[in-house]
Amino acid sequence: MLLVVSVGVAISARADITYEVHVMPEAEGKQLQITMSVPVKEKTVDVQIPNWSPGAYMLSVFNKNIKDISAATEDGKPLTVAHPDDNTWHLDVNGSKKVKITYSVASSLNDGAMHYSGPPTYLYVVGRKQERCLLKLVTPANWRIACGLDADGKMPGAFVAPTYDVLADNPVTMGNFILDRYIVKGKKHYVALRNPASRDVDMAHLIKACKYVSEAENDFWGATPYSHYVWHFSVNDAADGAGGLEHLSSTQIGLASGVGPRAVSVLSHEFFHLWNVKRVRSKPLGPFDYLVLPKTGALWWLEGVTDYYANLLLTRYGWATEKELYASLIDNLHGVRRNPARLEVSPYEASYRVGEAANGRGNSNGYKISYYNTGWLAGLCLDLEIRAQSGGKHSLDDVARALWKLCKNDRPGFEEDEIRKQCIHFGGPSLGDFYDRVIMKAGELPVEDELAKVGLKIEEHEQTFANIGFVSRPNKNDGGARVMTADKESPIKSGDLIIQVDGNPLDVKSNRSIAAEIARFSTQAQIGKSIKFHVKREGAEMDVSATPTEGKRMTKFLEVVNRNDLAKARLRSNWIFAGKKSIVKE
């Protein structure tokens, strides 16, 4: 919901727990001042700050964000605020029917915009997280606001949340930022970009990618469980790549301004979380205990299988190619098999014990192995096995949608053994032992065996390429590409700044443009044909010629075998395409 808010609009009296957030862009530390208004139900009120953020399974130190906390009765009499532990503040309310708690948190103002997320910002009332909350944002009059919460409808700048969990799960972007929108299934989807690099983004391409993902995944699930959606993009100056955190009706994504294929796969991943994780979830993932990390063995499904579908659906609906899907499969296989811990830790254990990682602080990747790439391959194996055992009548798609049916409409999450039960339901009794082998036991995942069931084989060939002899990184601020490493024999040295290639100056308007030119001359390089570089070295400029040599590397790829086996061909086609065609014609 997007609103322009005026300063000083008072929140009307109501029984909600209210949060009035005043933006103070001129304050030291660029503070947000927050006033909670809490109806009193007991003789005391305890408030706490979360110790972790849902979706990021690691302990944080959000308590250090809370500054200058004070409290008063509704008629302004000050109350003593005790601080019994790092995350808790205690008030004796002296018979008051309502108390106000005021505190501040730092929030950076960058390029005219602010962004903050809920868990580091909002205190909650202990024992009352399931009560309705009202959020009021008080900003300079010319500021925009992007937030996934529904508008209150009675006051400008006010939003409602049925619980603290929902309040905390909706980040806010406000200020002067780039804004666009599109409509899918009659719902508005807002695209909010901030930071200087946002002006380098091809907005038409980004909107097309976001809309494509929204269309495809709404079609896959057959449901649109949100009133509107917000893409919160923090844009960096790079050619490709992204990383995000999912929310009920929005996502926060650090996005490369080039919006390349890897970035689009992250868009697909985070949007898929609207269903898988935020609604289709195991029971420990909500309502939350914000002081203790949850324990669930399903993160391989919630994150890894989400990533599997992020790639699969981009291909199935026509955005990406079959070759790109196979490349993602090989990348995930490489990531899993280079980690020897795969032979001692199962996908279930990597999920369940994630809180033990990093000396008990947890991480967002898994215990000893990654539940992302391991879950990707586990999802692939389950999908292909269900298809093979059911003769193509069922697939992992059916399992996902069955879990959705169990969890939709705010029902409790699924039990830890529910995924296994659904795999057996759709794939037959043999899927029980297969599931245990793949998910519950450590060991090599049977990727090759499963690919053979759809007529695919992993091949490895030696590939010859032109080795230019160094690795460089774009550096717009220095005005070129900085050489990070170089072969001993190379005339190009580590630390050199490349300014020109064959007499053509690098386009240094952005790191993205520099990266594109580096990729171009690297791709076009020919063995034995000299390339002339103009470089800066230790303060002096010079011309240096380098001749690419013959390099060799082993490359894995997927190859179709048994081309005359029509049954396997049908399984393969239905796995990848499921009869779908591109749903966006632009």
Side-chain angles (χ1 to χ4, degrees), residues 13-173:
R14 58 173 72 194
D16 302 318
I17 297 173
T18 64
Y19 296 76
E20 186 166 335
V21 180
H22 286 255
V23 178
M24 305 172 68
E26 303 306 321
E28 184 178 353
K30 307 299 187 295
Q31 291 178 333
L32 301 174
Q33 187 178 74
I34 301 163
T35 299
M36 291 178 66
S37 182
V38 182
V40 174
K41 295 185 176 182
E42 306 288 345
K43 294 181 179 179
T44 62
V45 171
D46 289 315
V47 293
Q48 291 178 328
I49 193 71
N51 209 21
W52 67 286
S53 292
Y57 304 101
M58 64 184 76
L59 295 176
S60 300
V61 285
F62 296 150
N63 58 289
K64 293 185 178 181
N65 294 352
I66 308 303
K67 305 293 183 183
D68 308 318
I69 190 167
S70 63
T73 63
E74 58 185 332
D75 57 1
K77 294 180 181 178
L79 295 171
T80 300
V81 180
H83 194 25
D85 60 60
D86 287 345
N87 291 79
T88 308
W89 291 262
H90 173 83
L91 287 73
D92 290 310
V93 298
N94 295 336
S96 177
K97 294 181 179 180
K98 183 178 288 187
V99 297
K100 290 190 174 183
I101 303 165
T102 301
Y103 60 97
S104 63
V105 299
S107 182
S108 62
L109 179 66
N110 184 12
D111 196 39
M114 275 187 173
H115 177 86
Y116 72 87
S117 57
T121 305
Y122 302 131
L123 297 171
Y124 60 84
V125 182
V126 176
R128 297 172 61 182
K129 295 194 297 291
Q130 297 308 300
E131 294 183 26
R132 189 176 120 126
C133 300
L134 178 69
L135 172 65
K136 174 67 170 69
L137 297 168
V138 183
T139 75
N142 63 337
W143 277 26
R144 288 171 164 157
I145 296 171
C147 179
L149 289 171
D150 289 331
D152 173 68
K154 298 177 181 178
M155 294 168 287
F159 302 84
V160 292
T163 66
Y164 174 86
D165 288 348
V166 176
L167 172 73
D169 197 52
N170 279 276
V172 175
T173 297

Side-chain angles (χ1 to χ4, degrees), residues 41 188 328:
K41 295 185 176 182
K188 293 177 181 177
S328 295

